[in-house]
Amino acid sequence: MATTGSPELLSLAIDLVRRAATLVGDSRSAAVTSIETKSTPTDPVTEADRAAERLVVQGLAAARPGDLVLGEEGGFRPVGDEAGADAVRWLLDPIDGTVNFVYGIPAYAVSLAAEVDGVVVAGVVRNVVTGEEWTAVRGGGAWRDGQRLRGSGVTELSRALVGTGFGYAAERRQRQAEVLLRVLPRIRDIRRIGSAALDLCAAAEGRLDAFYEQGLNPWDSAAGGLVAEEAGLLVTGLRGAPAGTDMTLVAPSTIHQELHDLLVSQD
Ligand code: IPD
């Protein structure tokens, strides 16, 4: 069941993500005048986030009325309350990297994934500014613009360029900074790009050797996580747990354990 129809789900996702990315790109100058905040004063949401989410939700509702959407800006449940027996759950971040969007830093993306029976089976991430688009269907490899992706070939943690990110709440940031203090001396360097979806795709490309972040939401990591996994990277949590809000750790098998142990020793 988990992979049935995945190429069709991916096609639908690509179409909607492209349309949403165009909307987000076109509306940047207007949208940044309408910034509100969400979880904390540093967590912005713009009219563009909401409009892009509406566009994707309406497109999904028209194409697959029995499905569910979990969207960063609220999502929706199908009319009639009951999802169909073969319902897909869509995980949508209409703008991942909203702070970059607000500041005009060219690293923000639309991210959409399809999940069946709790398993992500298809995903697409599109950088709104560069137009780079990463896709994956479970079992079918990771791709960017026709090129198959295989992650980094790094063999030593000390040579690894590692991406990470920080949440919006001050207490979480304090803990994340403490972890970083220990990680930084053990690696080549750190990157904080500002979009977890793009970080995960960068890891799939080998533009980052590895990535970790605590506190990601499912809509941040679902599509990019599948892209990274399909590129051959290990995508896990800590101590045998699956990747999730507690920790998303992405690395080639050569350095995964060492980075894992470094994170465990401090969590
Ligand atoms: C955020 C970005 C950021 C990550 C945060 C996320 P948003 O998503 O992915 O890189 O560090 O944890 O919340 O708010 O821009 O959609």
Side-chain angles (χ1 to χ4, degrees):
M1 174 65 195
T3 54
T4 305
S6 302
E8 291 73 22
L9 297 177
L10 181 67
S11 306
L12 176 60
I14 289 172
D15 175 50
L16 292 171
V17 163
R18 287 182 182 171
R19 286 163 52 195
T22 300
L23 182 155
V24 170
D26 289 349
S27 59
R28 186 178 168 267
S29 52
V32 294
T33 61
S34 66
I35 302 163
E36 294 169 31
T37 57
K38 284 187 299 188
S39 59
T40 76
T42 52
D43 181 5
V45 60
T46 67
E47 184 44 39
D49 290 85
R50 295 202 186 93
E53 178 154 322
R54 272 197 305 275
L55 183 154
V56 175
V57 166
Q58 284 167 6
L60 290 172
R64 301 183 51 94
D67 286 357
L68 306 165
V69 185
L70 181 61
E72 181 172 23
E73 310 311 334
F76 95 127
R77 285 188 59 85
V79 183
D81 252 11
E82 291 304 316
D86 58 350
V88 169
R89 186 169 81 136
W90 296 88
L91 300 155
L92 166 66
D93 195 340
I95 306 180
D96 186 60
T98 309
V99 175
N100 289 342
F101 172 74
V102 169
Y103 280 78
I105 296 169
Y108 46 93
V110 182
S111 172
L112 182 61
E115 187 187 83
V116 176
D117 296 338
V119 178
V120 177
V121 296
V124 55
V125 174
R126 186 177 179 93
N127 182 320
V128 171
V129 182
T130 66
E132 289 176 304
E133 187 176 86
W134 293 266
T135 60
V137 166
R138 182 163 295 280
W143 301 83
R144 196 249 308 142
D145 305 322
Q147 189 182 333
R148 185 146 190 188
L149 307 176
R150 304 201 182 272
S152 161
V154 74
T155 54
E156 292 169 46
L157 185 60
S158 61
R159 299 282 173 89
L161 185 63
V162 179
T164 192
F166 309 109
Y168 290 107
E171 316 78 64
R172 171 165 287 155
R173 287 181 168 183
Q174 174 81 38
R175 285 198 305 277
Q176 289 171 323
E178 286 160 10
V179 171
L180 184 60
L181 274 180
R182 303 267 191 121
V183 171
L184 193 50
R186 301 280 302 275
I187 60 174
R188 178 190 294 275
D189 205 346
I190 204 82
R191 289 292 179 272
R192 196 289 193 253
I193 291 168
S195 161
L198 292 177
D199 287 325
L200 291 159
C201 294
E205 290 263 354
R207 290 178 187 168
L208 292 174
D209 294 304
F211 169 78
Y212 74 89
E213 184 167 345
Q214 219 186 353
L216 287 179
N217 292 299
W219 50 78
D220 297 316
S221 57
L226 180 63
V227 171
E229 200 179 332
E230 286 295 324
L233 299 170
L234 296 177
V235 180
T236 71
L238 298 181
R239 302 185 185 87
T245 302
D246 287 346
M247 179 59 75
T248 298
L249 166 59
V250 175
S253 58
T254 43
I255 61 165
H256 178 273
Q257 189 67 47
E258 206 179 342
L259 185 53
H260 169 276
D261 294 350
L262 195 54
L263 296 172
V264 162
S265 69
Q266 310 152 24
D267 70 341

